[in-house]
Amino acid sequence: MTGPGGEKANMEISARFLYPAMPFIAWLVSGTLKYMVNRIRHGREANKLIGNGGFPSTHTSVVSSVTMLIGFDQGWGTPMFGLGVALTYIVMIDAVGIRRAVGENAKWINALTRESAAAVEAGLRERQGHTRLELLGGLAVGMLLAWAASPWLA
């Protein structure tokens, strides 16, 4: 990347720093966006909704950001990009399948607990997993972050 005068820009970041930073950046951006969405939708209850579930999927943002960064850096037909895509699929399938089912089971268990022991508070977290829209939001965040960071790959 060159500056206005044609000289090498001082803002170039080596891949050895960008690759480990990208998952943290994606987590931070996705988590902040998720909190803002929850704050708009649920008001003060947003603090209680911090964690798994919701829009966008933070897990998907984290994994897809690195996968896309690999694609921009090493090429779309490389084995590393293929491995990243496979890992991204696994995370996404897990989010809409297993983790979502865990959340649905938690709702039933909490309901049964409330019915059988009125004094006991049901404590399983019911917001687990994601809808397809929440996954697509996480994928979009990861892709946009990798695209935005790709010019700084040295």
Side-chain angles (χ1 to χ4, degrees):
M1 199 161 115
T2 58
E7 72 281 353
K8 199 80 161 160
N10 291 332
M11 296 176 70
E12 283 194 14
I13 300 172
S14 171
R16 73 179 183 171
F17 296 114
L18 192 53
Y19 276 106
M22 183 54 65
F24 175 75
I25 294 167
W27 171 80
L28 186 64
V29 169
S30 185
T32 302
L33 183 58
K34 185 183 294 192
Y35 179 78
M36 290 176 5
V37 167
N38 283 333
R39 186 71 179 189
I40 291 167
R41 292 178 70 201
H42 304 286
R44 293 179 190 236
E45 295 293 311
N47 290 342
K48 295 179 183 175
L49 300 174
I50 293 173
N52 295 332
F55 181 90
S57 166
T58 303
H59 289 93
T60 303
S61 296
V62 167
V63 175
S64 66
S65 67
V66 175
T67 298
M68 294 302 291
L69 198 60
I70 290 168
F72 284 118
D73 185 28
Q74 297 178 15
W76 307 106
T78 62
M80 285 301 290
F81 179 71
L83 182 62
V85 168
L87 179 62
T88 302
Y89 284 155
I90 290 169
V91 168
M92 292 170 67
I93 289 167
D94 178 64
V96 295
I98 296 168
R99 286 183 37 229
R100 188 148 177 89
V102 166
E104 293 299 317
N105 285 333
K107 287 178 187 175
W108 283 100
I109 294 168
N110 285 342
L112 289 171
T113 302
R114 283 189 291 270
E115 286 176 13
S116 65
V120 177
E121 184 178 323
L124 294 178
R125 184 174 180 86
E126 296 178 6
R127 278 188 63 159
Q128 297 285 338
H130 293 281
T131 64
R132 286 180 173 82
L133 180 61
E134 292 167 346
L135 276 185
L136 290 175
L139 191 60
V141 169
M143 291 170 74
L144 287 171
L145 287 172
W147 174 76
S150 65
W152 285 286
L153 289 166

